[in-house]
């Protein structure tokens, strides 16, 4: 796959990523999904990067244990390094032929170590353990291990479910503790909101005076969320905007370097590689950077390393253009199609009372067909839309998704009158939109591989203060406008 700043293995897909940073290099272990039938077992593969743009394949890291092994499927886990320099990996082992009392495949926590810099791993089957009393045997996964220096021990967070209670609200982050990374003792649940089916891929980290708990909500939402606390003991606060991205970006886990924190997740593919296809498990790895605000809440945007790969300024809409439609709709498009990969930075001055405004992507010459990134100030959200949609019948209302937008692709954001910036990266079938350098929406663009770009307003007025398009390619000193330098100027 040639998309710089993203990663997808040849002929396969990236599942959950287990990031580990060491000596300035990110080692990104991931669940290698081939989608073969019958299943051939889930291994971990690894890629490495030092610039978050170019990824070097290191191949298979931990192989499937085989068809009769407890770890036929190796699912998500975590890596730590002990004081003696040995790396420890804790991962989920699962075999569909091994079922628990509930009749579902048992999930187990398993252990392996490496004393050669993570090149090879030695399994320790004697250290395997399953769900402790009071938890379902079929949900005991995604162990996240970290050192609690204050308590002088290691903590392991585990995605689990209570054995009793309302089925949709049994999700809990269970906890075990250890002093030697070998023997683990059950402890009180780390977080028990009694709200979701499960909290997948949990992790915690400290940043300044705040602790953060990150998890992927296994429910109808399928999104990665975070909580905040002043200590590991909580209480955990839900910020107003608590999601990292939308439905298409899942199982994000983070690693830090030089005071910066990056989340590594995957943008889901769609079945059949069409816009109407169902979301699939696994996809393309994408990196999102978090920034900490003064109140501890987090803002999210693509890393500048990715943004800076788009260096050559291409076409644009004239600055100062005003679109005024107090009770209607107005749009302006570029005269030529955009390339298959580009970065678009648009700054809008929005008038008070405006109902909607935003960007058109890969649009027809008249703007009637294409993809839409629509900001809706009265509802406080960014939504993704497209037209046309697949027809499901002969009547006017019988169209695919009888809804006002792609319901799963909605992001809350504060849109007060005044200036707002939409920063969009389109790279092949990938699209990552960012509002005001704080709110990210990732998705796929399959059905329309090219088209024009533009801006629009509905029931209101906007002034397009800046509208700059950047493509990839060799730089030219007369045309080069570094993307992040421009964004800094705009803000």
């Amino acid at each position: 796959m040639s998309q710089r700043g993203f990663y997808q293995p040849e002929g396969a897909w990236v599942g959950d990523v287990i990031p580990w940073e060491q000596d300035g290099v990110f080692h990104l272990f991931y669940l290698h999904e081939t989608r073969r039938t019958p299943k051939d077992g889930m291994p971990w593969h690894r890629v490495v990067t030092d610039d978050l743009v170019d990824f070097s394949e290191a191949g298979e890291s931990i192989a499937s244990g085989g068809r009769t092994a407890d770890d036929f499927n190796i699912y998500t886990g975590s890596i730590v390094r002990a004081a003696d320099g040995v790396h420890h990996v804790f991962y989920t082992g699962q075999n569909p032929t091994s079922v628990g009392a509930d009749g579902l495949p048992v999930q187990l926590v398993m252990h392996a170590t490496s004393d050669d810099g993570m090149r090879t791993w030695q399994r320790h089957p004697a250290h395997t353990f399953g769900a402790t009393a009071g938890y379902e045997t079929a949900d005991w996964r995604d162990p996240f291990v970290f050192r609690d220096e204050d308590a002088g021990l290691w903590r392991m967070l585990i995605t689990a479910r209570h054995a009793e209670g309302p089925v949709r609200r049994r999700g809990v982050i269970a906890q075990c503790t250890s002093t030697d990374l070998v023997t683990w003792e059950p402890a009180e649940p780390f977080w028990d909101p009694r709200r979701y089916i499960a909290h997948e891929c949990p992790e915690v980290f400290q940043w300044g005076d705040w602790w953060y708990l990150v998890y992927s909500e296994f429910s109808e939402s399928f999104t990665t969320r975070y909580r905040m606390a002043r200590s590991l003991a909580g209480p955990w606060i839900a910020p107003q905007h608590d999601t990292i991205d939308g439905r298409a970006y899942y199982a994000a886990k983070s690693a830090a370097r030089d005071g910066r924190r990056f989340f590594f997740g995957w943008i889901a593919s769609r079945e059949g590689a069409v816009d109407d296809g169902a979301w699939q498990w696994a996809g393309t790895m994408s990196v999102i950077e978090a920034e900490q605000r003064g109140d501890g809440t987090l803002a999210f945007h693509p890393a500048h390393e990715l943004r800076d790969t788009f260096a050559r300024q291409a076409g644009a809409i004239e600055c100062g253009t005003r679109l005024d439609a107090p009770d209607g709709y107005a749009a302006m498009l570029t005269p030529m199609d955009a390339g298959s990969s580009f970065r678009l930075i648009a700054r809008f001055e929005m008038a008070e009372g405006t109902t909607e405004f935003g960007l058109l992507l890969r649009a027809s010459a008249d703007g009637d067909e294409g993809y839409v990134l629509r900001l809706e100030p009265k509802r406080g959200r960014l939504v993704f839309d497209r037209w046309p949609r697949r027809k499901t019948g002969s009547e006017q209302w019988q169209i695919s998704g009888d809804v006002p937008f792609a319901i799963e692709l909605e992001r809350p954001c504060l849109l007060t009158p005044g200036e707002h910036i939409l920063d969009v990266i389109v790279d092949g079938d990938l699209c990552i939109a960012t509002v005001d350098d704080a709110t990210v929406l990732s998705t796929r663009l399959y059905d329309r591989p090219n088209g024009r770009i533009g801006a629009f307003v509905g029931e209101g007025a906007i002034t397009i203060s800046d509208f700059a398009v950047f493509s990839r390619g060799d730089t030219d000193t007369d045309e080069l406008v570094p993307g992040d330098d421009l964004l800094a100027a705009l803000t």
Side-chain angles (χ1 to χ4, degrees), residues 288-456:
I288 293 176
E289 183 172 0
E291 290 195 12
Q292 189 182 51
R293 300 185 180 102
D295 63 357
T297 61
L298 302 180
F300 300 96
H301 56 75
H304 70 76
E305 288 86 348
L306 169 61
R307 288 172 163 176
D308 287 347
T309 64
F310 296 87
R312 180 187 291 272
Q313 187 166 1
I317 290 176
E318 184 177 354
C319 298
T321 297
R322 181 174 175 82
L323 298 178
D324 198 344
D327 190 24
Y329 175 89
M332 176 172 287
L333 290 100
T334 55
M336 304 293 291
D337 286 0
S340 62
S341 297
F342 61 86
R343 180 186 177 195
L344 167 59
I345 305 175
R347 182 174 71 173
F348 303 96
E349 293 286 341
M350 179 192 72
E352 187 172 0
T354 297
T355 297
E356 62 182 36
F357 67 101
L359 296 173
L360 304 173
L361 305 176
R362 294 182 175 173
S364 57
D366 61 3
D368 197 44
E369 297 185 358
Y371 301 105
V372 182
L373 290 167
R374 187 168 64 243
L375 291 163
E376 300 179 346
K378 296 177 181 178
R379 295 182 172 91
R381 67 188 182 188
L382 164 70
V383 302
F384 177 81
D385 204 353
R386 64 185 174 88
W387 200 266
R389 302 173 186 168
R390 180 175 56 87
K391 294 182 178 179
T392 60
S394 59
E395 304 301 331
Q396 184 178 5
W397 62 87
Q398 292 174 324
I399 56 175
S400 173
D402 188 15
V403 292
F405 61 93
I407 291 294
E408 296 170 315
L409 298 176
E410 172 187 7
R411 300 288 287 122
C413 51
L414 183 63
L415 298 169
T416 56
E419 180 181 289
H420 295 283
I421 298 175
L422 258 175
D423 188 334
V424 183
I425 291 174
V426 172
D427 199 353
D429 59 19
L430 301 173
C431 177
I432 300 92
T434 309
V435 182
D436 296 334
D437 227 27
T439 303
V440 178
L441 174 62
S442 300
T443 189
R444 295 275 184 172
L445 311 178
Y446 284 118
D447 293 355
R448 297 184 65 85
N450 51 60
R452 303 186 184 187
I453 54 178
F456 72 93

Side-chain angles (χ1 to χ4, degrees), residues 73-233:
N73 291 315
I74 299 177
Y75 292 145
T76 308
S78 60
I79 294 170
V80 295
R81 191 181 188 187
D84 60 3
V86 173
H87 291 87
H88 294 250
V89 62
F90 297 89
Y91 62 90
T92 309
Q94 189 257 15
N95 190 316
T97 65
S98 177
V99 300
D102 49 14
L104 297 174
V106 171
Q107 294 182 342
L108 304 166
V109 170
M110 306 187 76
H111 182 209
T113 55
S114 174
D115 58 9
D116 61 3
M118 301 181 291
R119 287 187 293 274
T120 62
W121 294 92
Q122 175 64 46
R123 287 174 164 91
H124 301 287
H127 301 166
T128 298
F129 65 96
T132 55
Y135 296 116
E136 293 183 358
T137 63
D139 284 271
W140 190 252
R141 62 182 178 276
D142 307 341
F144 177 80
V145 175
F146 67 101
R147 181 70 179 173
D148 182 348
E149 294 293 352
D150 291 340
L153 48 75
W154 298 91
R155 296 187 183 276
M156 178 187 290
L157 311 187
I158 305 170
T159 297
R161 279 171 53 80
H162 290 290
E164 298 180 352
V167 173
R168 291 186 299 109
R169 297 197 298 276
R170 292 185 189 176
V172 57
I173 297 179
Q175 181 178 200
C176 294
T177 61
S178 175
T179 58
D180 59 5
L181 293 172
V182 173
T183 303
W184 293 90
E185 300 294 336
E188 291 296 312
F190 186 81
W191 192 53
D192 192 10
R194 297 279 181 163
R195 185 173 180 188
Y196 306 118
I197 295 172
H199 319 101
E200 297 191 302
C201 302
E203 69 163 324
V204 295
F205 59 86
Q206 188 174 19
W207 194 351
D209 295 331
W210 289 95
W211 283 89
Y212 297 87
L213 166 64
V214 179
Y215 64 94
S216 290
E217 179 189 328
F218 186 75
S219 70
E220 71 283 353
S221 295
F222 286 99
T223 190
T224 304
R225 300 184 185 272
Y226 78 96
R227 296 289 183 264
M228 308 160 48
R230 290 294 191 178
S231 76
L232 276 174

